[in-house]
Every structure is written in C-alpha cells, then in structure tokens.
Amino acid sequence: MIRGHFIVLEGIDGSGTTTQAERLRRRLDGEGLPVHVTAEPSTGPIGATIRQFLSGRLVTRLPSGISNPRWTTMALMFAADRQDHLEAEIEPNLRDGVNILCDRYMYSSIAYQSVTAGRADTTGWIAEINRYARKPDLAIYLRINPQEALQRCRERDRNVEMFDDPDLQRKIAQAYERLPELFPDVKIVTVDGGRSVEEVARECWAHVEALRAEGAPE
Ligand code: TYD
C-alpha cells in the first residue's frame, strides 16, 4: 500500500488555515483521492486539555494566584498532543493510503511558544521535543498582514483566547518568516494569504499538485 501525503497548513490566527484545509479537502475528494482533515490541538485527550487552557477554562494555581501555564508547559503539552495525534490518527491514515491535511503542526509550536517565551533561542529546544514528530511532505505557510488577520478574527466574533493579542500576533508572524531557514530539509512553501479565498485556494492546490507530480511519498 502506498502511503498518503502528509500536508500541513500554518499561519497566525486568522490566516485562513481552516478554510484552506477544507478547500484542499474538496479538491482532493473531487479527484477521487482519499483524504482526511485534522487539526492541532487534536481532538484527543491532551488536545482537549490544551483547548481548556487556551480558553481560560483551566488555569494553573500558583501561591500568588491563578495564571495561564508557562510557555514551557504549553510547549510540552502541544508536543505530547502531537505524538498522541500521530499515533492515534495521522499514522494509521497515512499507512492506509489516506492523504492527511493537518490544520497546524509543530511549526505552530516553534512560532507561538518561542514568541511567548520572549526569546528566539528557545526554538532549538522546541524543535528537540518535537524531534520524533513525522516530517510533513509539504508545509504551506499562509502569510498575512497581522492587522488584516486580526480584522478577520474580530469578524468571526470569537471568544478571547490565550494568544489574542495584536502585538503577540505580529511577533508570531515574524517568527513564521524564519521557518524555512530553521528547517531547510522540510518543504515549506509561502502563500500570500491576504487575497480572496479562491485565489489562495488555487495556489495551495498548485503546490499540492506539484507534490503529487513528484510521485508517491517514501
Ligand atoms: P484554534 O482555535 O484551533 O486556532 P485557530 O485560530 O487556528 O482556529 O486554537 C489553536 C491555538 O493554539 C492557536 O492560537 C495557535 C495555538 N497553538 C500553539 O500555540 N502551539 C501549537 O503547537 C499549536 C498546534 C497551536
């Protein structure tokens, strides 16, 4: 059995990863190719706990009061969720020949957790705790102006979450720009996410077609 392609979508909040994952799913499905869309944090037990931390439903109790967990705790939780996600959902599907579209992956950890750490030299450790996370066949980074992304999030009228801060999102966008240099052995493509859904979808699909033209994954 030829394994499926493992494709991940990345970008700051409001960059359109969820919308574009769904568009790609439809295209692959339309071509009669097996496809499964998933996301991180996952729907598994660790992912569910992370979501509660992100929304403030769960907090850490310190002698000085309650607070969000520190970036180190969050990085380890995301890494643990990733391993669980790979084991329970991603790897079995890939083995069955199903293409996986994953809305966020370890590059979110590199960008978000290093920025909340406030130190760029933390990326080495974050990459290390994700060392055994399967390398994707393609990572699509949706680049968008943080101001525009924020506008989109406001239109969606979401509840406030841990990383909903304009200054933080601007820094996370800068961290994403360093990914190709940090991971030279990963195929990371940058797509201008500031255009219409249709235009962005067309370019994402072109990248997937190019990947498929290379043949079956190893
Ligand atoms: P979610 O509501 O799923 O994000 P989205 O806006 O993309 O729908 O929440 C995921 C949040 O978690 C998002 O702000 C990015 C963040 N995150 C990390 O900080 N590190 C990670 O490793 C992952 C996977 C997500």
Side-chain angles (χ1 to χ4, degrees):
M1 167 73 73
I2 299 167
R3 84 158 167 87
H5 276 119
F6 180 30
I7 300 163
V8 306
L9 290 111
E10 289 281 358
I12 60 171
D13 291 25
S15 60
T17 56
T18 310
T19 306
Q20 293 302 328
E22 176 51 24
R23 288 297 175 123
L24 281 178
R25 186 198 66 74
R26 272 196 245 163
R27 283 304 290 259
L28 285 163
D29 194 46
E31 302 275 321
L33 298 163
V35 57
H36 176 69
V37 177
T38 187
E40 292 192 357
S42 79
T43 54
I46 307 166
T49 307
I50 292 174
R51 286 191 188 280
Q52 295 203 19
F53 275 123
L54 291 174
S55 65
R57 183 82 173 77
L58 259 181
V59 288
T60 305
R61 188 177 292 278
L62 302 173
S64 53
I66 56 168
S67 84
N68 286 329
R70 271 208 304 251
W71 71 273
T72 40
T73 308
M74 292 307 292
L76 289 163
M77 298 240 338
F78 280 115
D81 177 47
R82 191 157 295 127
Q83 290 307 322
D84 180 55
H85 191 201
L86 281 159
E87 207 175 312
E89 192 174 343
I90 299 175
E91 302 282 4
N93 272 293
L94 291 176
R95 273 198 299 274
D96 285 349
V98 178
N99 298 291
I100 290 280
L101 299 173
C102 191
D103 180 357
R104 296 193 177 283
Y105 193 54
M106 61 172 284
Y107 311 104
S108 286
S109 286
I110 299 286
Y112 282 72
Q113 275 61 62
S114 76
V115 168
T116 45
R119 286 170 36 194
D121 65 357
T122 52
T123 53
W125 177 72
I126 301 167
E128 183 59 20
I129 58 173
N130 284 281
R131 192 207 295 193
Y132 297 111
R134 171 190 277 281
K135 194 171 88 174
D137 300 305
L138 175 67
I140 301 175
Y141 163 50
L142 299 178
R143 177 190 278 151
I144 187 172
N145 177 313
Q147 211 45 45
E148 203 174 311
L150 184 71
Q151 192 57 38
R152 287 189 187 174
C153 288
R154 292 208 172 122
E155 282 161 15
R156 264 193 273 159
D157 192 32
R158 294 185 327 162
N159 295 325
V160 175
E161 288 213 328
M162 201 182 280
F163 306 116
D164 285 356
D165 175 78
D167 192 45
L168 202 61
Q169 290 292 325
R170 200 175 38 75
K171 289 181 182 152
I172 294 167
Q174 286 167 2
Y176 267 119
E177 296 295 326
R178 291 196 295 271
L179 285 179
E181 149 201 345
L182 286 173
F183 298 95
D185 60 333
V186 180
K187 188 179 293 172
I188 303 174
V189 296
T190 302
V191 169
D192 174 6
R195 298 167 296 165
S196 72
V197 171
E198 288 309 326
E199 282 173 301
V200 180
R202 217 173 299 131
E203 191 175 336
C204 289
W205 177 244
H207 286 296
V208 172
E209 278 195 309
L211 175 72
R212 291 182 42 75
E214 286 172 22
E218 298 137 32

